[in-house]
């Protein structure tokens, strides 16, 4: 990759990246699964849309738009009956697909339907797909795709910047190489997992001068792995460690009002059998949490004050620019309405200052 100069200026703004009015169609975390018991219904505001989620006797979580189509009563005031939800105001009842199945004052229910959203559970979390039909699986750690796992929740916090800005921290090679110096000099190689997921893997050997390498070198001679996978520009998984013991951390983010990010970290490990396996897994999850806190303890202050604007991208920012380009190719929805964004077609000719993304794209 050649550069005519170290710094490249651009006045062009991405349409999706760091945009508080748009997000990518995909799976987003709604609430911890343990917070919704059988027979409960709760209100959730997700990406500007009012929803209700309830759990029927079959233990399945169901998500509807929040307001009854009769007079607009909030369905979180209603009650769960079996696998169905009854509105409190006039006792209209809806099944798990959103269809009206009972109107007490009528002999037959009306042919109306609540808007229902695809809902699933994984890693102890309830997830909602923001489109009609899920086009991708629930987010997963690539290395554990076909493995049994254990998971626990880590830190949950709010930042003053967009989820996209938080996520790029884990692939900011310049930041790792100059600030943390924890593993080695990092150079990322990207690969597309699918249309909505992208992987960045560190391809450089471990540096003998890195702090962690000095600590483990008497016990381990090979390089340490570090790679990251992003889903929908809102979820990141990081895998790191020696080849005999990889640690996994997921950061599930969602856009909240004001272009801010609400973040839930989830610690994940491959499941080992038996009592010893349970103890070993809990130990690994504890180590993962310690490492995660190490990286977050100082960086979190940056997320509270940053006004992100990549005006001068350099070669060291290659992975960040690749991530931005990846997001710009995905289906964008509007905050609140969840309607697909209609972009205005741009003129074919572009000013040379607008091409920094392409210059960095491989």
């Amino acid at each position: 990759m050649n550069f005519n100069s170290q710094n490249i200026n651009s006045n062009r703004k991405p349409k999706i990246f760091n945009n508080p009015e748009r997000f990518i169609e995909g799976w987003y975390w709604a609430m911890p699964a343990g917070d919704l018991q059988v027979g409960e219904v709760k209100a959730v505001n997700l990406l500007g849309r009012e929803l209700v989620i309830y759990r029927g006797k079959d233990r399945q979580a169901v998500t509807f738009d929040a307001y009854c189509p009769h007079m607009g009563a909030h369905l979180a005031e209603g009650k769960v009956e079996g696998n169905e939800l009854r509105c409190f105001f006039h006792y209209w009842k809806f099944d798990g697909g959103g269809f009206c199945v009972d109107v007490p004052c009528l002999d037959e229910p009306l042919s109306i339907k609540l808007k229902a959203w695809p809902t699933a559970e994984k890693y102890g979390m309830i997830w909602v797909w923001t489109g009609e039909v899920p086009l991708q699986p629930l987010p997963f750690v690539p290395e554990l795709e076909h493995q049994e796992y254990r998971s626990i929740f880590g830190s949950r916090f709010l930042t003053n910047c967009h989820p996209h800005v938080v996520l790029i921290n884990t692939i900011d090679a310049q930041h790792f190489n100059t600030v943390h110096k924890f593993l080695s000099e990092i150079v990322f190689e990207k690969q597309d997992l699918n249309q909505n997921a992208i992987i960045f893997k560190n391809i450089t050997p471990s540096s003998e001068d890195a702090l962690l390498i000095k600590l483990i070198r008497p016990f381990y001679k090979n390089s340490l792995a570090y790679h990251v996978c992003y889903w929908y520009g809102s979820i990141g998984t990081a895998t790191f460690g020696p080849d005999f013991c990889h640690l996994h951390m997921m950061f599930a983010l969602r856009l909240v009002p004001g272009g801010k990010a609400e973040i839930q970290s989830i610690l994940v490990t491959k499941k080992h059998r038996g009592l010893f396996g349970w103890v070993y897994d809990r130990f690994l999850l504890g180590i993962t949490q310690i490492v995660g806190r190490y990286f977050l303890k100082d960086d979190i202050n940056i997320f509270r004050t940053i006004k992100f604007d990549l005006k001068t991208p350099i070669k060291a920012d290659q992975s960040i620019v690749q991530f931005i380009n990846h997001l710009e190719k995905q289906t964008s929805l509007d905050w609140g309405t969840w309607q697909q964004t209609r972009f205005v077609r741009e003129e074919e000719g572009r000013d040379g200052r607008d091409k920094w993304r392409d210059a960095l794209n491989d």
Side-chain angles (χ1 to χ4, degrees):
M1 184 177 300
N2 296 320
F3 290 82
N4 294 326
S5 63
Q6 185 181 25
N7 295 332
I8 305 173
N9 294 318
S10 175
N11 293 325
R12 188 181 187 188
K13 297 294 184 182
K15 298 173 183 176
I16 300 174
F17 179 83
N18 198 27
N19 187 332
E21 299 299 325
R22 294 170 184 159
F23 63 95
I24 292 169
E25 180 179 345
W27 289 104
Y28 290 83
W29 70 277
M31 62 187 300
D35 289 353
L36 187 70
Q37 302 302 312
V38 172
E40 286 189 323
V41 55
K42 294 194 175 182
V44 174
N45 185 296
L46 182 62
L47 299 164
R49 195 178 188 100
E50 296 289 341
L51 307 171
V52 292
I53 304 180
Y54 75 92
R55 192 185 299 280
K57 67 178 182 180
D58 63 359
R59 311 190 69 83
Q60 299 299 309
V62 177
T63 304
F64 292 150
D65 275 351
Y67 299 100
C68 180
H70 180 215
M71 287 191 184
H74 201 296
L75 292 168
E77 304 298 333
K79 61 179 179 179
V80 179
E81 297 182 355
N83 295 322
E84 299 164 333
L85 181 63
R86 190 181 290 278
C87 177
F88 175 77
F89 201 20
H90 296 98
Y91 272 25
W92 290 24
K93 186 163 70 172
F94 302 89
D95 67 12
F99 292 96
C100 181
V101 295
D102 182 39
V103 178
C105 66
L106 299 177
D107 294 333
E108 295 183 359
L110 298 178
S111 181
I112 59 174
K113 182 179 181 295
L114 277 169
K115 180 62 180 178
W117 299 96
T119 308
E121 299 182 46
K122 191 172 187 177
Y123 301 125
M125 191 72 76
I126 295 175
W127 306 80
V128 175
W129 178 269
T130 56
E132 296 292 330
V133 179
L135 303 177
Q136 300 291 353
L138 285 163
F140 57 83
V141 178
E143 189 172 288
L144 301 180
E145 180 180 6
H146 303 296
Q147 304 280 346
E148 291 187 80
Y149 62 86
R150 298 186 200 271
S151 64
I152 61 172
F153 290 146
S155 302
R156 181 172 174 178
F157 53 96
L158 186 70
T159 71
N160 290 328
C161 62
H162 195 282
H164 297 159
V165 176
V166 179
L167 283 178
I168 62 174
N169 189 57
T170 53
I171 54 167
D172 188 344
Q174 190 176 178
H175 176 73
F176 274 103
N177 295 337
T178 58
V179 178
H180 290 298
K181 298 180 180 178
F182 195 55
L183 295 175
S184 63
E185 180 182 6
I186 289 179
V187 176
F188 287 108
E189 180 178 81
K190 83 171 182 71
Q191 67 182 76
D192 294 323
L193 182 62
N194 57 49
Q195 181 180 353
N196 296 116
I198 188 171
I199 297 174
F200 292 89
K201 291 187 176 183
N202 179 33
I203 59 174
T204 57
S206 301
S207 169
E208 295 295 330
D209 295 327
L211 173 61
L212 184 57
I213 302 304
K214 289 180 179 179
L215 293 175
I216 70 169
R217 184 55 67 201
F219 315 100
Y220 183 73
K221 301 299 183 182
N222 297 328
S223 296
L224 298 182
Y226 178 66
H227 48 267
V228 176
C229 180
Y230 291 127
W231 296 80
Y232 318 111
S234 64
I235 300 155
T237 68
T239 294
F240 48 92
D243 53 19
F244 62 85
C245 181
H246 282 178
L247 306 178
H248 311 281
M249 178 176 293
M250 173 179 285
F251 293 98
L253 294 84
R254 58 185 180 187
L255 182 65
V256 296
K260 301 178 181 181
E262 187 175 7
I263 305 164
Q264 175 67 66
S265 62
I266 304 173
L267 316 173
V268 188
T269 188
K270 180 181 176 181
K271 183 177 181 179
H272 296 86
R273 301 291 182 180
L275 178 61
F276 176 78
W278 181 88
V279 173
Y280 179 63
D281 292 346
R282 297 295 298 190
F283 170 76
L284 291 179
L285 292 171
I287 294 297
T288 307
Q289 189 164 33
I290 292 172
V291 174
R293 286 175 177 171
Y294 168 82
F295 284 108
L296 284 174
K297 67 177 181 178
D298 295 323
D299 294 349
I300 192 65
N301 294 324
I302 298 297
F303 301 144
R304 293 191 178 114
T305 58
I306 190 172
K307 298 293 183 183
F308 185 87
D309 189 0
L310 185 54
K311 295 179 179 179
T312 54
I314 61 176
K315 187 174 181 179
D317 300 319
Q318 175 185 345
S319 54
I320 295 174
V321 176
Q322 290 172 332
F323 175 58
I324 295 174
N325 288 338
H326 168 71
L327 297 186
E328 295 298 298
K329 298 175 184 177
Q330 299 185 54
T331 300
S332 170
L333 305 180
D334 290 331
W335 167 269
T337 67
W338 293 16
Q339 297 296 313
Q340 186 169 335
T341 303
R342 297 184 179 277
F343 293 128
V344 178
R345 293 185 177 275
E346 300 178 352
E347 297 181 2
E348 292 184 0
R350 295 188 300 168
D351 189 283
R353 294 174 301 173
D354 296 340
K355 298 182 180 179
W356 63 268
R357 297 186 310 146
D358 297 334
L360 283 172
N361 193 22
D362 61 0

